[in-house]
Amino acid sequence: MIDENDKALMREAIKLMRKAGVVDKTGGPFGAVIAKDGKIIASSGNSVVQDNDPSGHAEVNAIRKACKVLGTWDLSGCVICTSCQCCPMCYSTAYWARLKAIYYASPWGDYYDCFPQDFDIKEDLQKPIEKSAVPQVELLREEAAEAVG
């Protein structure tokens, strides 16, 4: 159930969104906050441009910071408040970090004019592997299997 504290956390994510995208221009207009028991553990804005790192999305940055703060990769019991609905990379990172919920301010469609490639990625992920936009080619499967047992 959403309460006033959740709204306060989202407002912090929206502040980070503005800072990253408009004020500091470190990346796109995205911000994220990780909280546990209603208290902020970590927060970040988008840093793709600043860091020359396409994985520098606000959500991934905040998850990385939270993992360091808590000393674990498992963020069970934490939530993320993000200014925009997660892209596939950010959703996957949240999933693997075991976040208990994702709250977002805006759906993808609100940013279509700025980031149409996000919709292309979503569609590409639905295709059979041989039709992916980025070719995916199996190589040395047996050697990889031997390496792990």
Side-chain angles (χ1 to χ4, degrees):
M1 182 142 147
I2 295 173
D3 61 24
E4 288 305 312
N5 190 60
D6 295 323
K7 291 177 183 177
L9 294 170
M10 184 59 77
R11 287 185 182 103
E12 185 62 29
I14 292 168
K15 284 181 195 174
L16 291 166
M17 168 194 181
R18 178 169 173 68
K19 187 174 186 322
V22 178
V23 178
D24 296 340
K25 297 185 178 159
T26 57
F30 304 99
V33 171
I34 305 282
K36 186 169 187 173
D37 300 324
K39 299 202 180 339
I40 294 175
I41 302 297
S43 62
S44 185
N46 185 298
S47 66
V48 169
V49 173
Q50 171 186 284
D51 298 340
N52 291 320
D53 179 357
S55 71
H57 291 200
E59 299 89 341
V60 172
N61 290 341
I63 289 169
R64 287 176 179 155
K65 287 179 179 181
C67 289
K68 285 182 182 175
V69 167
L70 296 176
T72 181
W73 59 269
D74 184 346
L75 300 180
S76 296
C78 294
V79 299
I80 187 167
C81 290
T82 178
S83 60
C84 184
Q85 185 179 10
C86 289
C87 73
M89 177 183 67
C90 294
Y91 176 80
S92 296
T93 305
Y95 178 92
W96 286 109
R98 299 182 177 170
L99 291 171
K100 75 175 184 178
I102 299 170
Y103 299 111
Y104 63 91
S106 301
W108 275 19
D110 288 1
Y111 294 92
Y112 181 79
D113 291 346
C114 301
F115 303 101
Q117 67 274 19
D118 284 356
F119 290 86
D120 296 341
I121 292 168
K122 190 174 180 182
E123 289 175 16
D124 195 54
L125 287 169
Q126 304 296 321
K127 295 177 183 175
I129 197 167
E130 64 275 1
K131 295 189 183 222
S132 297
V134 178
Q136 300 182 60
V137 181
E138 186 178 298
L139 182 64
L140 298 179
R141 181 179 184 180
E142 294 81 17
E143 288 183 34
E146 288 176 20
V148 294

